[in-house]
Amino acid sequence: SQQGEEDPQALSIQEGENATMNCSYKTSINNLQWYRQNSGRGLVHLILIRSNEREKHSGRLRVTLDTSKKSSSLLITASRAADTASYFCATDGNNDMRFGAGTRLTVKP
Amino acid sequence: SQTIHQWPATLVQPVGSPLSLECTVEGTSNPNLYWYRQAAGRGLQLLFYSVGIGQISSEVPQNLSASRPQDRQFILSSKKLLLSDSGFYLCAWSPRGLTGNSPLHFGNGTRLTVT
């Protein structure tokens, strides 16, 4: 069963704007990961944040984690048309990662 | 470097026919292996995972089975496909150890259409 739930389900922005996607989960976690999926392709890992971390950066990506609220956010700054994809959060379960339904991001040139 | 191969990329099969999807990993040993299914516009549903040769765990009752005949080979099978088996199947691997401590590495997926 799915663990994380992303919000919004779809997001459309102009190139250069920032995109923020949120993820909520239900049970305690050790780690939370964010993935990207281009249409018809496999998922690509973006960033992993541990439960004792509050914020992590990777290039134009910024991830926050609030374990008290059981939520995480992914911020993509200065978006580009190439950032158009679906973004998923995933939390660690028993021997597997549990994925949400994703946020479909469209960046218009 | 590690790579994961999954094939075929697309497959159209009639109802009642058998299925075999194969996934192999190169460049690593003793990986955890996973089969996920993704319905159109949806998230991923874990089907099977394996922590070693011959060790398969199933998450949900279904028409599918999995096998791991070699350390870096993971096979998804069905004896008789159902229409509901249509979907996008993804194989993934992660280093041996606690799940979640390392990223999952995905193959490019197989688009299965059962007609």
Side-chain angles (χ1 to χ4, degrees):
Chain A
S1 61
Q2 293 180 350
Q3 164 73 308
E5 293 185 7
E6 291 87 349
D7 172 62
Q9 291 185 339
L11 180 62
S12 182
I13 60 175
Q14 294 294 133
E15 205 166 29
E17 294 179 341
N18 296 341
T20 299
M21 289 159 271
N22 302 298
C23 169
S24 60
Y25 57 92
K26 297 178 181 177
T27 60
S28 297
I29 60 170
N30 295 312
N31 305 290
L32 185 142
Q33 301 182 26
W34 283 90
Y35 289 79
R36 165 195 169 123
Q37 183 183 32
N38 288 347
S39 180
R41 307 284 288 182
L43 279 72
V44 175
H45 179 261
L46 296 175
I47 200 163
L48 182 154
I49 186 166
R50 305 193 187 281
S51 60
N52 61 355
E53 297 176 309
R54 291 297 167 258
E55 188 171 313
K56 204 161 183 180
H57 297 255
S58 177
R60 293 183 297 112
L61 304 181
R62 173 177 170 255
V63 168
T64 63
L65 178 63
D66 187 336
T67 54
S68 67
K69 295 182 180 179
K70 291 187 170 57
S71 67
S72 174
S73 68
L74 170 66
L75 169 66
I76 303 175
T77 60
S79 63
R80 306 166 182 168
D83 294 328
T84 294
S86 292
Y87 292 82
F88 297 87
C89 68
T91 54
D92 53 326
N94 295 324
N95 292 312
D96 72 301
M97 295 298 296
R98 303 288 172 142
F99 289 82
T103 292
R104 174 68 188 168
L105 173 66
T106 302
V107 182
K108 301 176 183 177
Chain B
S1 62
Q2 303 92 354
T3 56
I4 178 169
H5 302 280
Q6 187 181 342
W7 68 92
T10 60
L11 191 60
V12 180
Q13 293 282 104
V15 169
S17 63
L19 172 74
S20 181
L21 302 181
E22 189 163 343
C23 172
T24 59
V25 180
E26 297 178 355
T28 188
S29 298
N30 303 315
N32 291 339
L33 296 172
Y34 309 84
W35 279 111
Y36 285 89
R37 177 169 59 199
Q38 185 177 30
R42 302 291 298 277
L44 278 67
Q45 177 188 32
L46 178 68
L47 301 176
F48 301 95
Y49 66 89
S50 171
V51 297
I53 295 174
Q55 301 179 59
I56 310 294
S57 296
S58 174
E59 281 295 297
V60 294
Q62 56 200 307
N63 185 43
L64 302 169
S65 62
S67 61
R68 184 171 178 173
Q70 301 180 43
D71 180 47
R72 290 170 290 177
Q73 184 184 27
F74 206 22
I75 298 172
L76 184 69
S77 304
S78 173
K79 292 182 179 179
K80 291 185 178 182
L81 284 169
L82 306 172
L83 287 174
S84 57
D85 292 323
S86 294
F88 191 51
Y89 289 82
L90 289 157
C91 180
W93 75 271
S94 68
R96 181 62 56 86
L98 285 175
T99 299
N101 282 356
S102 301
L104 287 178
H105 304 274
F106 284 85
N108 284 327
T110 295
R111 175 76 59 192
L112 172 65
T113 303
V114 182
T115 60

